[in-house]
Amino acid sequence: MTRKGKVLLIYTGGTIGMGVNHATGALHPLDFNNFVNNVPEFTYLKTAVDTYQFTPPIDSSDMAPELWTRLVSLIEEKYNQYDGFVILHGTDTMSYTASALSFMIENLTKPIILTGSQLPIGQLRTDGKENLITSIELAAAHNNEGYPLVPEVSIYFNGQLIRGNRSTKRNADGFDAFDSFNYPRLCDVGVNIRFHEYAILKPNYSKPTVMHKELNPNIVILSLFPGIQENITKHIFDAPELEGVIIRSYGSGNAPHQQWLMNLLSKASERGVTIVNISQCISGKVEMYRYETGHQLQTAGVISGFDSTVEAAATKLMHLKAMNLPNEELIRLMQIPLAGEITI
């Protein structure tokens, strides 16, 4: 593995770039120059690193589609100047951003690695330094032929590199904040760095990379639960702006035997609302044909999200809805992997 090259480090915000107000104990964003000064290990990197800062920094909770478009525009502008990109990001919505970028950048040929930390980088026990330094090394890593080793959108955290659109935040307190429950890790980092080549996407280097900057956020994520009420759910489905629904169903794709629910789903599907069924379970996949409670959803026009995460399903639907495709084509594309997000 060769680590030389040039990487653009993009600071959007998040805990990794926070400082502590010693009077109040509250966290506040650091100036990016101070942030870099907290990482003296930068001077030992063989990789050249340029930096870009979002001003003001964006709290992870405030991440939104227009900011994903801003990121894609920045990467498009700098794409030919760098071997890879590292995005510093808050952990709460990192999986959403990683998923969105994986769909918005078609035929990605360079690494885009998102990372962050659970403790600010200036604190003694921070996990931020290792996450940052290793992410830069991975973003610059290429083989003897000069091709990048991980040319896809991924998340690096706590010694693991995982596909971005397969990731879910699993731990609010521990350093092992993310996991990929339905897909193998792309790389394990310990004393040695072990790439799992069979799991890494292979782009078509003979074709161009295409940047998509439009998203349609007129969707909703609906979790089923015992006691879900018709009068409340009906308000959601009656919204004239509604164009897509991600249903988080039980187990392998099951829903309660409630005729009112099937009626709402059928009417919405008939008017062009795309309804995607994913499981509330963090591992496993939707198989609506297994039980009658799942088969009834198929009859109502609901399509399978297979083993998609909620983050990937939502951002993929936003991406496809913005392309103004015929409904049949949109449904087809939702049910095939565009960037390794599902397994059929």
Side-chain angles (χ1 to χ4, degrees), residues 270-323:
E270 288 169 4
R271 75 170 198 264
V273 176
T274 306
I275 308 171
V276 184
N277 184 11
I278 65 171
S279 177
Q280 294 180 20
C281 302
I282 57 176
S283 181
K285 63 181 182 291
V286 161
E287 297 176 293
M288 288 190 284
Y289 55 83
R290 286 183 65 182
Y291 301 101
E292 177 60 30
T293 49
H295 182 71
Q296 64 178 343
L297 293 173
Q298 284 183 306
T299 304
V302 178
I303 64 174
S304 176
F306 299 96
D307 58 350
S308 178
T309 64
V310 64
E311 297 92 343
T315 53
K316 182 178 182 179
L317 191 53
M318 288 184 195
H319 164 65
L320 292 177
K321 280 290 183 181
M323 298 178 75

Side-chain angles (χ1 to χ4, degrees), residues 82-99:
Y82 296 93
D83 298 291
F85 301 84
V86 173
I87 300 173
L88 302 181
H89 195 290
T91 58
D92 286 346
T93 56
M94 187 182 292
S95 291
Y96 283 97
T97 297
S99 296

Side-chain angles (χ1 to χ4, degrees), residues 30-48:
L30 289 171
D31 177 82
F32 199 67
N33 291 324
N34 291 331
F35 172 84
V36 172
N37 290 338
N38 276 294
V39 191
E41 292 86 351
F42 258 72
T43 58
Y44 299 106
L45 281 171
K46 296 178 181 179
T47 302

Side-chain angles (χ1 to χ4, degrees), residues 25-233:
L27 298 176
H28 61 88
L30 289 171
D31 177 82
F32 199 67
N33 291 324
N34 291 331
F35 172 84
V36 172
N37 290 338
N38 276 294
V39 191
E41 292 86 351
F42 258 72
T43 58
Y44 299 106
L45 281 171
K46 296 178 181 179
T47 302
V49 180
D50 289 340
T51 59
Y52 181 93
Q53 178 177 4
F54 274 41
T55 305
I58 298 159
D59 188 278
S60 181
S61 301
D62 292 324
M63 193 54 65
E66 56 267 25
L67 298 169
W68 296 333
T69 297
R70 184 176 165 190
L71 268 173
V72 170
S73 296
L74 174 63
I75 291 169
E76 180 181 40
E77 177 188 342
K78 306 289 186 182
Y79 197 72
N80 294 326
Q81 302 173 35
Y82 296 93
D83 298 291
F85 301 84
V86 173
I87 300 173
L88 302 181
H89 195 290
T91 58
D92 286 346
T93 56
M94 187 182 292
S95 291
Y96 283 97
T97 297
S99 296
L101 294 180
S102 76
F103 303 122
M104 296 173 75
I105 305 177
E106 181 183 346
N107 195 40
L108 176 65
T109 58
K110 298 182 179 183
I112 298 176
I113 300 176
L114 286 82
T115 194
S117 66
Q118 296 286 60
L119 287 175
I121 203 155
Q123 290 195 8
L124 185 62
R125 294 180 50 251
T126 184
D127 54 328
K129 287 186 180 181
E130 193 278 323
N131 286 348
L132 172 58
I133 295 298
T134 303
S135 293
I136 292 171
E137 290 194 333
L138 293 174
H142 54 272
N143 61 24
N144 293 332
E145 287 75 42
Y147 292 108
L149 292 178
V150 193
E152 60 174 283
V153 181
S154 57
I155 288 177
Y156 178 76
F157 236 86
N158 193 46
Q160 298 181 359
L161 186 71
I162 59 178
R163 179 165 296 163
N165 58 33
R166 294 284 193 153
S167 67
T168 294
K169 185 176 180 181
R170 64 181 292 271
N171 196 327
D173 299 318
F175 290 155
D176 56 339
F178 292 90
D179 210 337
S180 174
F181 294 97
N182 285 322
Y183 197 76
R185 296 187 293 274
L186 307 181
C187 177
D188 287 302
V189 178
V191 174
N192 298 305
I193 298 177
R194 301 189 306 279
F195 292 92
H196 307 306
E197 293 186 20
Y198 71 93
I200 298 172
L201 285 176
K202 307 295 190 296
N204 187 338
Y205 289 101
S206 68
K207 292 185 177 181
T209 298
V210 180
M211 307 286 179
H212 301 277
K213 300 176 188 175
E214 300 295 327
L215 292 166
N216 184 341
N218 292 323
I219 71 165
V220 69
I221 299 169
L222 176 67
S223 285
L224 301 181
F225 62 93
I228 188 169
Q229 293 296 297
E230 176 181 3
N231 56 344
I232 297 173
T233 308

